[in-house]
Amino acid sequence: MYQTDEFKRLRCYEIYAQSAGVEIREAIKNHEEQGRVVERAGRIQLRFFKLTPKTTADEVTQIRFICEPDEAFALALMIGQVAGSSVPCKEKLNPHRFANGGQGGETVTTVSVEKWERGGKSGFALTVGRGKEFIGVAMPLTKFLFAGEFLRVCATEQCWLERITARGQQA
């Protein structure tokens, strides 16, 4: 019997620069207990990626940053603030810190928004950094503002929680 492919619609916005890009989309965080998902919550994912081929085997080509809804909203507000600035400036979200397995250190990931000016040119950028790796995506004002508006909308749309409950009980 012939099966048709199913499409799943996701809210997603992609911005491409000369050598990098960023994808902003809805995401879900699962919480597990005893190997079973018991709760799911809305999140917003920023996936920064390079458009150039790897030059070394261990080169990082993409970095993901998962925002809670209020972080995505804060990022949207920062974009508006930076876009309205008359001088070059930079704002950062609070960093995400994760323990490195058995290595004893931690991994720190930051996302920043900036208005830049270099060599007589100016523009806007979203940048992610993790350790010594950075991926920046330059863009014109309209795409920068649209990214902010998209983050703002996703922040409220992704503000939800699903819990498993026993039949007849409320969460």
Side-chain angles (χ1 to χ4, degrees), residues 34-150:
Q34 300 172 353
R36 180 176 170 224
V37 175
V38 295
E39 188 174 272
R40 298 181 341 151
R43 295 291 186 265
I44 298 88
Q45 174 181 285
L46 286 83
R47 184 179 65 89
F48 293 81
F49 52 90
K50 293 180 181 178
L51 295 170
T52 54
K54 280 187 174 190
T55 55
T56 61
D58 61 344
E59 182 180 1
V60 172
T61 58
Q62 65 178 339
I63 299 174
R64 290 186 322 143
F65 189 91
I66 308 294
C67 297
E68 293 189 13
D70 62 324
E71 285 180 305
F73 186 76
L75 190 58
L77 293 177
M78 283 180 203
I79 288 172
Q81 184 180 15
V82 167
S85 176
S86 59
V87 296
C89 60
K90 187 176 194 173
E91 295 287 334
K92 289 184 179 183
L93 273 181
N94 289 331
H96 285 192
R97 300 176 187 278
F98 297 96
N100 288 347
Q103 300 170 1
E106 71 176 357
T107 300
V108 178
T109 308
T110 59
V111 169
S112 62
V113 298
E114 70 176 304
K115 179 176 184 174
W116 55 268
E117 197 174 288
R118 290 186 268 297
K121 293 184 178 184
S122 64
F124 301 89
L126 290 172
T127 304
V128 68
R130 179 175 289 153
K132 294 179 183 179
E133 300 289 336
F134 289 89
I135 300 174
V137 183
M139 63 195 75
L141 177 61
T142 53
K143 289 185 181 283
F144 191 64
L145 289 171
F146 188 84
E149 180 63 14
F150 188 76

Side-chain angles (χ1 to χ4, degrees), residues 156-167:
T156 55
E157 290 287 329
Q158 288 298 99
C159 198
W160 55 265
L161 178 70
E162 295 175 341
R163 287 190 179 129
I164 291 181
T165 59
R167 289 183 190 238

